[in-house]
Amino acid sequence: MAPEPAGRTTGLGNFRTGYRRCVPRGGHSPDHSDKSDTPGSPPQPDELIDELPVLEATGELDLAVAPRLREQIDALFVDGARSLVLDLSGATFLDSTALGVLIGAVNTSKERGGQIHLVVTEPQILRVLSITGLSNAFSLHEGRAEVLAARTER
């Protein structure tokens, strides 16, 4: 197997989730220094945007990482979230399997009366959303600050 090119991030190596900071979860320290990104671990506190949990995924979102992405999103819904911020600003690729996970998140969110705020800057990912007609299924944003601005305008 050939080594990865230097500086290339693949999969969900830098994968973080966020919950309400004011609610301690499972004895985690308030500074959240005990975050764990190991597969199978529950999502750990990271950040909120206007009371919305934030899930950040970087690198290539493909068949290899789609199951973990689904687990992390499902865990946020199980915890009671209706709407989520999915920050894909560090994502470089989105295949049909990962796109299916995002569609599932939209459907679950709509069933709960919420919506998915998608932070996307990668032109190819935006193109995939446009070509598939899914641009309107998400609330698209260029950055996290834009999500907050959109939430305060409501």
Side-chain angles (χ1 to χ4, degrees):
M1 176 182 263
E4 292 279 331
R8 181 174 173 206
T9 302
T10 60
L12 296 175
N14 297 318
F15 191 72
R16 297 184 299 183
T17 60
Y19 286 101
R20 290 176 190 84
R21 288 182 181 265
C22 60
V23 181
R25 303 199 119 348
H28 295 294
S29 64
D31 69 354
H32 312 301
S33 59
D34 58 346
K35 284 191 252 184
S36 171
D37 291 332
T38 57
S41 66
Q44 301 299 310
D46 182 48
E47 184 177 340
L48 285 176
I49 295 178
D50 193 30
E51 295 299 313
L52 296 180
V54 176
L55 179 80
E56 178 182 9
T58 63
E60 296 180 356
L61 305 180
D62 56 17
L63 177 65
V65 298
R68 174 131 162 90
L69 180 60
R70 182 183 318 274
E71 287 174 14
Q72 296 295 308
I73 290 171
D74 288 349
L76 293 172
F77 284 127
V78 165
D79 195 47
R82 290 182 14 208
S83 296
L84 306 174
V85 176
L86 300 178
D87 186 344
L88 307 182
S89 60
T92 57
F93 178 77
L94 179 72
D95 78 356
S96 61
T97 308
L99 183 60
V101 171
L102 297 182
I103 293 168
V106 166
N107 292 337
T108 301
S109 184
K110 284 186 178 181
E111 289 171 4
R112 294 171 174 246
Q115 64 182 10
I116 300 296
H117 297 271
L118 203 59
V119 178
V120 182
T121 55
E122 173 61 45
Q124 290 189 350
I125 294 175
L126 289 167
R127 182 174 155 89
V128 167
L129 295 172
S130 177
I131 288 171
T132 58
L134 293 170
S135 300
N136 297 329
F138 302 94
S139 179
L140 295 176
H141 307 280
E142 292 181 2
R144 291 184 185 192
E146 197 177 293
V147 174
L148 182 58
R151 299 265 305 158
T152 56
E153 290 174 2
R154 46 177 192 165

